[in-house]
Amino acid sequence: PAPPSTTVRVADAIEGDEPLLPARVHRPSDLIRMLLGLLAIAVLLALAAVAQQTTQGISDDINRADVPVWISVGGFIASVAVLALPVIFAVERLIKRDGLRIADGVLAAVLAHGVSLAIALWVAEAAPDSILHALTKAKPSGDGQTDPVHGYIAPVVAYMTAVGMTRRPGWRVLMWAVVALDVVAVLVGGYTTPFAITLTVLIGWTVAYGTMYAVGSPTVRPTGRNLLAGLRRIGFRPVSALVPEEPVPGTAAAAASDAENADRGRRYVVTREDGPPLDVTVVDREHQAQGFFYRAWRRLSLRGIYQRRSLQSLRQALEQEALLAYAAIAAGANAPKLVATSELGPDAVMLVYEHLGGRTLDQLEDEEITDELMLSTWRQVEALQSRRICHRRLDGDAILVDRSGTVFLTDLRGGEIAAGDLVLRMDIAQLVTTLALRVGAQRAVAAAVQVLGPDAVADSLPLLQSIALTRSSRVELRRRSRERSERQREAVLEASKARKEIKAKEHGRKALKAEKKAIEDALDETREEDLLTQIRHEVLRIRPQAAVEPARLERIKPRTLVTVIAGVFAAYFLLSQLTHANLGTIITEAKWHWAALALVFSALTYPSTALGLLGFVPEKVSYARTVLAQVAGSFVKLVAPAAVGGVALNTRFLQRSGVRPGLAVASVGASQLFGLGCHVLLLMTFGYVTGTERTPSLSPSRTVIGGLLAAAVLVLVVTAVPFLRKFVSTRVRSLFAGVVPRMLDVVQRPQKLASGIGGMVLMTLFFVLCLDASVRAFGGELSFANVAVVFLAGNALGSAAPTPGGVGAVELALTAGLTAAGLPSDTALSAVLLFRLLTFWLPVLPGWLSFSHLTRKGAI
């Protein structure tokens, strides 16, 4: 049996084995190889399209070469062997009961054949002539063209890749030799082109790895019995291997086993015949693959922080963990003593440590984490830092307390020797956060200062930011933030409910002020600082002069990603729309004085929008910067739906302008609420006007009635279903709990209210005037009411569409509406393209400049 200090699952205490391993795993390396294959195919086709003379020259040179007799004979033999060898290999694998690999190979071969046929059909029917000439040529017999994709090479390459033939040296050399001989024979014989044969091989290779990633590869993880056999080979006499109890799901300990730490390997407690137990860690290729993309992203996004390569060989992983284990003990820190290392076949390695027992910090109760235990933990970190060794993963499951109360630092695999100051300070920030999550900021900081000194702890403050912490710490901090927000929301709802109970005794403005004050008092009472802020305040209390400005750790900021993605979307959508329009006709037929007037109306929408927003912000905010923020919103719309990007940007802008976060959200929400009401009223008004005009081809009055009926049916459905009724009522109550008090401030200032409503009306009218001028620029004639209805309906669809800026939905709705109103389809399309060019595409560059300017100034 296991020692008393080690908790094990009884179901796992089977000698030499463990719970059933997954039969298949999805390796990120297979996905990466598939993506690289797709990229190579794209590059090959691009070269074939632009280097037509070069491809023709290569084919001519090959055809002019004399064909030796042995190549012809060898080609015949290879054409037979290339089909026979896969069958022989399949028989050999079936005899050894490895039929799953053969099934994978057959599936990959079938898919590769299908992809080959599809690409061959595309080349023959729809590909540019340059690609057709690069992939095909006249047959030597003169009766037609060669195939653009070689018939059977792609399935054979896919098969031999998927069955793992490349990992068997003898079969690999034989198979590739046969394939190479066959390729040479068909090339020299004039039955294919170099580009076609290269494309064929790439198709087989890409499809094979895509299949392997989709269905998964057979697991190569060693079992407990393999582990016992490996231990016997290196001189130990094991009796059984037990799997320690795993953390309870949902706890911080369980969160630590996420993608960031999933490559730590499987752990066993091994009992022996002739000595104390051993702690054994087994690392295999599947464990290494887990969390690959997360580690790759961290390496790409963080700058100034060296991290180990995202994908290591097993030998490199073994050497790094052994080096860190020896270095930590040499530095005087308490760390598990490494007693042996060994390989477990070609796909796994094991590291054998002396057994420690005990419990991790995550397994201790909060009251068990004493000041002495924290001081002991900090002494171990101090020993590492004295030799410039960083740990990188100072989470609760990396701190082990044995039966005597001695603290050990485990999981050193991700550490680094000769570390720089930045990563050493990150370790301090991480451990302070780990302890503060359990015992509070005051005790955690006091223990760190007592061991490391105030200066070392103060120097870590710039690294005390979420991005520098481990994922499990970030998950716990986000959970606490959600709970804090929920408590504030409940307090506001309770305060609002309490005021309503006594509201009957008060009337008018006095009642409104009292309700507003009650809500603000509830917010003040429940306002809490987040944990990182509490830690900063504790350190500043000891070292008031400490620098607290966060260090720049991100190489790629979210704003940079927004810029890049926005540019790609802009180019794609603009080009896709321009391909459907006759630009020559648009340019020659346009009346440019109307187009210039439309441009003026488009420009006037931005100051109007700023005026409408500031009307719902009682605080003093710069009008000029607000206008710039609205211009910047035209850039943000490229990567976010129209109804989302502007709201997020305006909220951020108001917060940076000094408006408290809750009030900023309430102001933007109030403006959106009034904007929706204004939109609906204008749509109904202009719909009624167009209905009285008796326009035969457009009946907005029926549309308005249909919309109202649909809305009524939706309201009935929501009120009839308890789940939907509760969901909507909760969201509406929370909305009005913040928006209503904000509206009370605005209502008490008639000038602000007039500014808000007037700005929204002006913005809508300027958009309608811009569309009307765009229609007249191409000779169209429609009443202003008809144009207004078309714009209001199209804009509503664009706000609801999930595409950036409503691209696609807005153009379709506006074109259909103008056509239904009586405009010729060509005129309607030209007018809509001009309108969207002036209101959506042209402002992108000024929007990017405004976005960059406000970002530099810290305004957003």
Side-chain angles (χ1 to χ4, degrees):
S5 60
T6 302
T7 306
V8 300
R9 292 194 301 263
V10 177
D12 296 336
I14 301 174
E15 178 179 339
D17 216 336
E18 59 182 328
L20 185 65
L21 297 175
R24 290 180 174 269
V25 292
H26 301 275
R27 295 189 179 122
S29 57
D30 293 335
L31 177 60
I32 292 173
R33 290 187 177 99
M34 184 195 72
L35 296 176
L36 290 176
L38 292 174
L39 178 61
I41 292 174
V43 171
L44 180 72
L45 294 177
L47 288 175
V50 301
Q52 183 175 355
Q53 294 183 352
T54 302
T55 59
Q56 187 63 40
I58 294 175
S59 298
D60 293 341
D61 292 340
I62 293 176
N63 292 336
R64 283 196 294 267
D66 294 330
V67 182
V69 176
W70 68 268
I71 288 186
S72 300
V73 177
F76 173 75
I77 297 174
S79 63
V80 176
V82 80
L83 299 178
L85 281 178
V87 177
I88 297 173
F89 183 80
V91 173
E92 188 258 351
R93 286 288 91 197
L94 289 175
I95 292 175
K96 295 185 177 181
R97 298 184 179 182
D98 194 10
L100 285 177
R101 289 185 183 273
I102 303 304
D104 294 343
V106 172
L107 176 61
V110 171
L111 293 176
H113 184 63
V115 173
S116 301
L117 292 178
I119 293 181
L121 180 63
W122 170 74
V123 172
E125 301 292 337
D129 292 339
S130 57
I131 293 180
L132 180 64
H133 293 154
L135 298 178
T136 62
K137 60 182 296 184
K139 292 181 179 179
S141 58
D143 55 345
Q145 298 291 111
T146 60
D147 293 330
V149 181
H150 202 280
Y152 54 84
I153 293 295
V156 168
V157 171
Y159 173 87
M160 60 188 290
T161 303
V163 299
M165 193 179 291
T166 55
R167 291 194 293 269
R168 300 170 65 86
W171 284 98
R172 178 184 61 199
V173 173
L174 181 61
M175 196 68 207
W176 276 115
V178 170
V179 171
L181 184 58
D182 186 66
V183 166
V184 171
V186 295
L187 273 175
V188 176
Y191 293 97
T192 189
T193 67
F195 274 81
I197 202 67
T198 306
L199 177 63
T200 301
V201 174
L202 286 175
I203 289 174
W205 192 73
T206 304
V207 171
Y209 282 111
T211 304
M212 292 165 63
Y213 183 74
V215 303
S217 301
T219 184
V220 295
R221 293 182 178 182
T223 63
R225 295 188 185 276
N226 300 133
L227 170 65
L228 296 183
L231 288 172
R232 292 188 183 103
R233 283 196 300 270
I234 58 177
F236 295 101
R237 300 174 63 185
V239 175
S240 64
L242 307 179
V243 181
E245 184 180 10
E246 295 179 353
V248 178
T251 63
S257 61
D258 56 15
E260 184 178 40
N261 301 325
D263 62 338
R264 294 181 177 183
R266 286 175 295 144
R267 300 169 185 177
Y268 298 86
V269 176
V270 177
T271 56
R272 296 191 289 167
E273 295 179 3
D274 54 354
L278 299 172
D279 291 329
V280 181
T281 299
V282 177
V283 180
D284 53 52
R285 297 193 187 280
E286 277 72 27
H287 274 112
Q288 281 195 306
Q290 294 179 23
F292 167 80
F293 294 109
Y294 173 78
R295 295 194 303 274
W297 166 247
R298 293 280 287 180
R299 183 178 178 86
L300 177 65
S301 61
L302 296 182
R303 69 177 186 179
I305 305 173
Y306 173 80
Q307 290 190 329
R308 64 182 178 86
R309 287 183 292 180
S310 301
L311 192 61
Q312 290 179 307
S313 68
L314 287 172
R315 171 63 62 178
Q316 290 171 330
L318 179 68
E319 292 173 349
Q320 181 176 6
E321 184 160 355
L323 174 62
L324 265 297
Y326 291 135
I329 293 176
N334 294 332
K337 183 179 179 180
L338 184 66
V339 296
T341 61
S342 178
E343 292 184 348
L344 286 178
D347 297 308
V349 295
M350 66 176 177
L351 299 101
V352 184
Y353 294 93
E354 289 184 350
H355 180 63
L356 293 177
R359 293 178 294 170
T360 65
L361 192 69
D362 286 335
Q363 294 171 329
L364 296 177
E365 299 294 335
D366 290 346
E367 56 271 14
E368 295 182 87
I369 304 177
T370 63
D371 291 342
E372 181 56 37
L373 188 147
M374 289 191 292
L375 293 176
S376 180
T377 303
W378 280 112
R379 292 188 190 103
Q380 309 313 311
V381 175
E382 182 185 31
L384 293 182
Q385 301 230 336
S386 66
R387 300 294 179 87
R388 305 198 70 81
I389 300 173
C390 73
H391 188 287
R392 290 191 181 277
R393 289 176 172 175
L394 287 171
D395 277 330
D397 66 337
I399 302 170
L400 184 72
V401 184
D402 69 2
R403 292 182 294 271
S404 63
T406 305
V407 174
F408 287 81
L409 299 182
T410 64
D411 293 324
L412 290 160
R413 182 182 175 193
E416 179 184 339
I417 62 173
D421 291 337
L422 195 64
V423 289
L424 293 176
R425 286 184 286 161
M426 281 182 63
D427 269 1
I428 298 175
Q430 173 62 56
L431 184 54
V432 169
T433 305
T434 299
L435 295 175
L437 286 170
R438 300 298 306 277
V439 302
Q442 184 176 5
R443 289 180 60 193
V445 171
V449 170
Q450 186 172 341
V451 175
L452 301 181
D455 293 333
V457 179
D459 289 341
S460 70
L461 283 186
L463 281 303
L464 192 66
Q465 46 185 306
S466 179
I467 192 174
L469 304 177
T470 59
R471 177 179 286 191
S472 57
S473 297
R474 298 199 302 272
V475 168
E476 178 64 18
L477 289 172
R478 284 196 295 268
R479 184 188 67 81
R480 294 192 177 197
S481 177
R482 288 193 298 269
E483 291 178 352
R484 188 167 57 250
S485 299
E486 183 66 20
R487 287 194 295 269
Q488 291 181 349
R489 189 180 69 85
E490 291 177 356
V492 169
L493 293 177
E494 288 295 329
S496 179
K497 181 179 179 180
R499 285 302 309 166
K500 288 179 181 178
E501 294 176 354
I502 60 174
K503 190 174 180 179
K505 301 178 182 179
E506 301 174 351
H507 302 282
R509 183 175 296 181
K510 183 178 179 181
L512 297 177
K513 286 184 176 179
E515 183 175 358
K516 174 190 170 185
K517 186 177 185 303
I519 292 175
E520 289 183 348
D521 290 343
L523 282 173
D524 291 335
E525 291 176 2
T526 57
R527 185 171 290 109
E528 303 175 37
E529 292 181 335
D530 64 272
L531 183 66
L532 298 184
T533 302
Q534 294 177 27
I535 295 174
R536 293 189 188 96
H537 288 170
E538 287 297 324
V539 176
L540 289 175
R541 188 173 58 84
I542 300 170
R543 274 287 184 271
Q545 70 276 17
V548 295
E549 185 67 24
R552 287 282 302 275
L553 300 178
E554 292 176 286
R555 179 183 288 113
I556 299 179
K557 285 190 171 184
R559 292 191 184 95
T560 305
L561 286 179
V562 167
T563 303
V564 174
I565 296 173
V568 172
F569 270 101
Y572 172 77
F573 286 123
L574 182 58
L575 291 176
S576 63
Q577 291 192 30
L578 293 180
T579 54
H580 300 289
N582 189 337
L583 295 180
T585 303
I586 292 177
I587 293 174
T588 55
E589 294 182 0
K591 299 177 181 178
W592 290 107
H593 61 282
W594 281 108
L597 187 60
L599 177 62
V600 172
F601 290 140
S602 175
L604 290 175
T605 59
Y606 296 102
S608 303
T609 306
L611 192 67
L613 175 64
L614 292 182
F616 297 93
V617 183
E619 292 83 3
K620 183 176 180 57
V621 178
S622 170
Y623 178 71
R625 283 198 171 184
T626 307
V627 174
L628 286 178
Q630 306 317 303
V631 177
S634 62
F635 172 72
V636 175
K637 285 190 296 185
L638 285 173
V639 290
V644 175
V647 171
L649 181 71
N650 285 329
T651 302
R652 175 78 171 179
F653 169 73
L654 292 179
Q655 291 179 12
R656 287 301 183 94
S657 298
V659 182
R660 292 196 312 185
L663 299 180
V665 173
S667 294
V668 175
S671 66
Q672 292 291 313
L673 192 62
F674 264 81
L676 176 63
C678 180
H679 195 97
V680 171
L681 288 176
L682 288 175
L683 182 60
M684 295 178 64
T685 301
F686 286 114
Y688 173 78
V689 173
T690 55
T692 59
E693 292 175 355
R694 293 183 174 87
T695 305
S697 58
L698 183 66
S699 302
S701 56
R702 294 182 181 179
T703 303
V704 173
I705 293 174
L708 292 175
L709 291 176
V713 171
L714 180 62
V715 170
L716 290 176
V717 170
V718 171
T719 54
V721 179
F723 169 75
L724 293 177
R725 182 172 64 249
K726 182 179 179 180
F727 178 83
V728 173
S729 63
T730 302
R731 295 302 182 276
V732 170
R733 286 171 59 197
S734 62
L735 170 67
F736 279 92
V739 171
V740 170
R742 198 61 167 161
M743 291 306 306
L744 298 178
D745 290 337
V746 176
V747 169
Q748 296 174 15
R749 304 181 183 184
Q751 292 181 345
K752 281 285 186 180
L753 186 61
S755 169
I757 298 177
M760 292 176 184
V761 174
L762 286 175
M763 176 193 68
T764 303
L765 291 180
F766 283 135
F767 272 121
V768 174
L769 288 170
C770 180
L771 180 59
D772 184 65
S774 300
V775 170
R776 296 178 186 276
F778 294 97
E781 289 288 342
L782 284 179
S783 68
F784 184 80
N786 271 331
V787 174
V789 169
V790 170
F791 166 76
L792 292 168
N795 187 61
L797 289 175
S799 299
T803 57
V807 171
V810 172
E811 287 80 3
L812 180 63
L814 293 181
T815 303
L818 292 176
T819 303
L823 278 183
S825 58
D826 292 343
T827 303
L829 176 61
S830 300
V832 170
L833 287 178
L834 177 61
F835 173 75
R836 291 291 278 173
L837 177 67
L838 297 178
T839 59
F840 186 76
W841 296 110
L842 271 185
V844 168
L845 180 57
W848 176 75
L849 294 174
S850 300
F851 188 88
S852 301
H853 172 74
L854 293 175
T855 300
R856 287 194 303 270
K857 297 294 185 181
I860 56 175

